[in-house]
Every structure is written in C-alpha cells, then in structure tokens.
Amino acid sequence: MKIENEFLIPFIGLKLGKHQFDFHINTKFFERFDYHEYENSDIKVGVVLDKKSTHMELSFSHKGSVTVPCDLTTEVFDLPIKSKMKLIVKFGEEFNNDNEEILIIPHGEYQIDVAQYIYEMIVLSVPTKRIHPGVKDGTLQTEALNKLKNLQVKAIKEENKENDIDPRWDKLKQLLTDK
C-alpha cells in the first residue's frame, strides 16, 4: 500500500502534551487496502497524540456508518459504527509492530503513519453478523423474508402431542402409579 501524506502525523516539531488530528474516511480509503466489503462509508476519526518525553500515546476513536448488505435479506442499509483504540509508540533500534498495543519506531523517525491502525479499528468495529434494523423490529417487507416465513417449521400444538403418545408409555406410567 502506498503511504498517503494525509495519514502521516509529523510529531518531531510538536510540543509535549496533547494534539488533536481529525480524519474523514470514505470508500476510497478502503480501496487503498483493496477492501471492498462496504458499498459506501462516512466515518469521522479523531486521533489524540499525547507526546511525552520518552514515548507517545495515540488515542483513536471513530463514529459513523458503513453501507452493507443484510445477511438475511441482502437488503442494503447504513450500519452505525463506533469504537476506540489506544496505541503506545516507543522509540527503539528498529521498527517493530508485533504487539497490537505497542509500536516501536526507530530513533530517527519524525512521523508516524496511522492509516493501517484506522483501517483495522474500523473493520474490527463492524459486527460479523449484519442484520437490517427493519428485520429486528418487523417493519421490513421483502421477498426473501416472506420466503423464510413460508419455509419456517410450524409449531406443533400441545393437543396433538398428548394424542400422539405411544400406548407403550402408558403401561410404563402405570408402573409408577401402581405402588
């Protein structure tokens, strides 16, 4: 993936303390990662960089919506999403991002690319099972839902259960009551 200047945070000239960075994420952002799961997206991402003398703390948060198909009906809908994530950035001899909560960058670095972390935070905040809100409250009427209702197993009435008891069980019940 090509590094975009938009997601590079230069920290070398910043004073100690907290600094706010805001990003707007749309479908083009996910195309850079070759991720085509969302038909549309509108997400606001905020990154707070807390610069300290020996390390930095990045606090990511996002809120917005992605347009996805429903897993039951394939109807497209806007799914609201939000999440938070923290990342500690330390300085070391070489780049190391093996730990998901700690990033080690070389001493000579002067900027950090946050695109990968924003991408992972957003993708992981989308639930694996996506159900249209109209399915949950019963207001959505589609051909797929009507077909599912027709194919649903009908409930067995309690009366029929009692009438269909095998007579051999009656003999066994008499053993219990004959004592």
Side-chain angles (χ1 to χ4, degrees):
M1 191 197 95
K2 186 176 103 177
I3 295 178
E4 296 288 329
N5 288 335
E6 181 183 355
F7 298 101
L8 290 176
I9 297 178
F11 56 83
I12 197 73
L14 298 177
K15 294 181 180 180
L16 296 180
K18 294 186 179 187
H19 306 275
Q20 176 77 32
F21 298 91
D22 295 316
F23 303 99
H24 182 263
I25 305 299
N26 56 22
T27 310
K28 282 186 174 184
F29 175 79
F30 295 104
E31 290 173 0
R32 295 178 195 153
F33 291 92
D34 198 29
Y35 190 75
H36 305 286
E37 193 78 15
Y38 313 135
E39 293 188 20
N40 196 4
S41 59
D42 182 25
I43 304 165
K44 304 279 188 234
V45 176
V47 179
V48 176
L49 182 134
D50 189 3
K51 186 175 180 182
K52 308 211 180 205
S53 58
T54 59
H55 69 282
M56 295 179 290
E57 295 176 8
L58 291 169
S59 298
F60 296 86
S61 64
H62 77 275
K63 187 174 185 177
S65 65
V66 291
T67 306
V68 293
C70 175
D71 290 337
L72 296 176
T73 64
T74 67
E75 291 288 322
V76 177
F77 71 103
D78 287 337
L79 178 69
I81 57 171
K82 66 179 182 177
S83 180
K84 293 181 179 182
M85 181 180 87
K86 290 203 177 276
L87 178 69
I88 297 174
V89 181
K90 294 186 175 186
F91 297 96
E93 295 299 318
E94 60 185 35
F95 181 85
N96 184 348
N97 64 351
D98 291 341
N99 189 331
E100 60 190 41
E101 296 175 359
I102 299 174
L103 171 66
I104 299 173
I105 58 175
H107 288 290
E109 284 292 318
Y110 61 94
Q111 62 188 6
I112 184 169
D113 182 20
V114 294
Q116 181 69 33
Y117 299 103
I118 292 172
Y119 166 75
E120 289 175 6
M121 178 181 62
I122 292 171
V123 170
L124 291 175
S125 70
V126 176
T128 54
K129 188 166 185 172
R130 305 168 195 144
I131 299 176
H132 193 286
V135 173
K136 291 179 183 175
D137 62 18
T139 58
L140 182 67
Q141 296 296 324
T142 65
E143 190 176 319
L145 283 176
N146 292 336
K147 188 70 172 175
L148 283 172
K149 285 178 186 174
N150 290 340
L151 296 174
Q152 187 177 15
V153 177
K154 305 293 186 234
I156 300 173
K157 295 180 181 177
E158 292 297 323
E159 298 173 8
N160 292 345
K161 281 186 177 180
E162 291 177 13
N163 293 340
D164 294 340
I165 295 177
D166 191 345
R168 292 176 287 184
W169 289 110
D170 290 334
K171 292 287 184 191
L172 289 173
K173 286 182 183 176
Q174 285 178 358
L175 290 174
L176 289 174
T177 57
D178 286 347
K179 290 185 180 179

